[in-house]
Amino acid sequence: MKSIQFLESHASTPIKNRPSIFGCPLDRTSTYRSGSDKAPNAIRQASDSIETYSPYRDRDLMDLKFSDLGDLDLVHKDLEQALKIIESMCINILTQGAKPVALGGEHTVTLPIIRALNQYLDDFLVIHIDAHSDLRQEYDGQELNHSTVIRRVAEIMGPSRLIQLGIRSGTKPEFEWMRSNKTLYEWGKGSERYLLKRLSNKKVYLTLDLDVMDPACLPGTGNPETGGWFFHDLDRLFNIMTSQNIIGADVVELNPVLDSSGASSIMAATIVRELLLII
Ligand code: MN
Ligand code: MN
C-alpha cells in the first residue's frame, strides 16, 4: 500500500529544528461519538487537495523542510501503553533536535507530549485552544481521558504556564478553576496585544482541539459546540504566533466518520499547513 504523506513532506525521519509530523490514531475514551482514530490519514488525504502555498502567510511549504514520520501503532494497546508509545516518539523527535507535530486522535494524546517536553525544556507555555476546558478532575470514574487531559497537563506545568482560548463549555467548577487561575483569555478583536504581553517571547506549545471551530465550518468532530471560531479567528492567532518560538503542536479531535462533505478534513489539513509554516 502506498503510504500517505502530508502534502509533499521532505523526509520520513526528523530534521533538526524542523517540524516532525506523527499520527496518533487514538480513540479510546470517546464519550459521545467515536472515529477520531481515522483522523491522521484523513488529514493527510485531504492535504492532497490543498496548495503548498499559503496566501495567509505568504509562505510555501515547498521551501520549508518538514518530516512526516507516519502513524504510531496503537492497536491492541491499553491506554497507558499507548500514551507511553506517544511519549517515546516525542522523546525520539526531541533528541534529534526536531519539533513534534502530532495529529490526533482524541485530545488525551497531548499529555504524553507534555510529559516528554517537560523532560527536555523548562519554562515553556502551553496555549490550549478548544471549545471545552478539559479540566475535569475525573470523568466516568477515569482520571485520564479527553475531558481531564488539560487538568493533568496543568498538574505537570502549573496553571501559571497555561493559556486557554476559545473555551465555551465546561462545568461551573471548571470555569471557577479557570477564573481563579487566570488561564482563560478573551479572543475578541484587539486581544492580540494582551496575549503577546503574556507570551513575552517565551517558548510555546500549541494544543489545538478542532472543536474550537464553529460547527458550521467544522462539523466533523465528536463533541461540536455552538458559538465557535471561524477561520479568521484562528488566522489572527497564527498571525501573532509567526513571531513566537513554537516548540511543537498537536491538532486533535477531527472525526472523519462525521465529516460527510469532507470539508472538516480539508480545514484540518489547512490548519496543519498553517502550523507547519509558522513553526
Ligand atoms: Mn473539545
Ligand atoms: Mn479537548
Side-chain angles (χ1 to χ4, degrees), residues 119-133:
Q119 293 166 45
Y120 280 82
L121 301 164
D122 50 17
D123 209 27
F124 65 94
L125 302 173
V126 171
I127 299 186
H128 168 222
I129 308 143
D130 199 327
H132 312 93
S133 71

Side-chain angles (χ1 to χ4, degrees), residues 86-105:
I86 297 168
E87 186 177 338
S88 301
M89 171 56 108
C90 207
I91 286 171
N92 174 33
I93 293 169
L94 291 167
T95 50
Q96 297 188 63
K99 301 182 177 192
V101 175
L103 306 181

Side-chain angles (χ1 to χ4, degrees), residues 12 30 35 42 59 73 130 207 255:
S12 54
S30 290
R59 288 181 186 175
D73 181 8
D130 199 327
T207 175
N255 187 331

Side-chain angles (χ1 to χ4, degrees), residues 107 128 130 132 134 146 149 209 211 252-253:
H107 209 159
H128 168 222
D130 199 327
H132 312 93
D134 292 352
H146 63 98
V149 60
D209 183 330
D211 65 30
V252 299
E253 298 287 354

Side-chain angles (χ1 to χ4, degrees), residues 149-184:
V149 60
I150 299 302
R151 186 65 170 260
R152 301 288 92 85
V153 165
E155 285 164 1
I156 296 174
M157 320 250 316
S160 64
R161 287 162 61 196
L162 176 66
I163 294 163
Q164 296 181 282
L165 294 172
I167 316 292
R168 55 191 184 275
S169 173
T171 62
K172 192 159 185 263
E174 287 178 282
F175 271 85
E176 281 164 358
W177 188 96
M178 289 190 285
R179 284 182 200 118
S180 66
N181 289 294
K182 300 187 169 62
T183 59
L184 183 56

